[in-house]
Amino acid sequence: MNHGKHSRNFWIGNGVLAVAMLMMFFMGPLSDALGIWAAVLWMVLAAVGMALLMSDKSGDPPEPD
């Protein structure tokens, strides 16, 4: 199998999604501090992270078995 190197957007997207995941653990205190904006911020982070991941077009799809 030929594994190519992922682009910078792939890794930035993973980092943004990791921050979004960490936000879920602290959503209670964040919601107390920011109100509905905590959920809006989480949705924006998740959308940006997924967009960065999906924009990674660094390699061809693998060959079928």
Side-chain angles (χ1 to χ4, degrees):
M1 288 185 359
N2 187 9
H3 293 287
K5 219 175 142 180
H6 291 291
S7 72
R8 186 174 50 139
N9 284 348
F10 177 82
W11 295 112
I12 294 171
N14 277 324
V16 170
L17 286 175
V19 170
M21 182 188 71
L22 285 174
M23 274 187 70
M24 293 304 288
F25 290 115
F26 300 104
M27 190 54 80
L30 281 172
S31 179
D32 291 340
L34 300 175
I36 191 68
W37 293 107
V40 171
L41 179 62
W42 176 79
M43 286 186 270
V44 168
L45 282 175
V48 168
M50 285 305 298
L52 287 169
L53 275 180
M54 299 308 277
S55 72
D56 179 34
K57 303 221 187 311
S58 61
D60 294 330
E63 295 286 328
D65 290 337

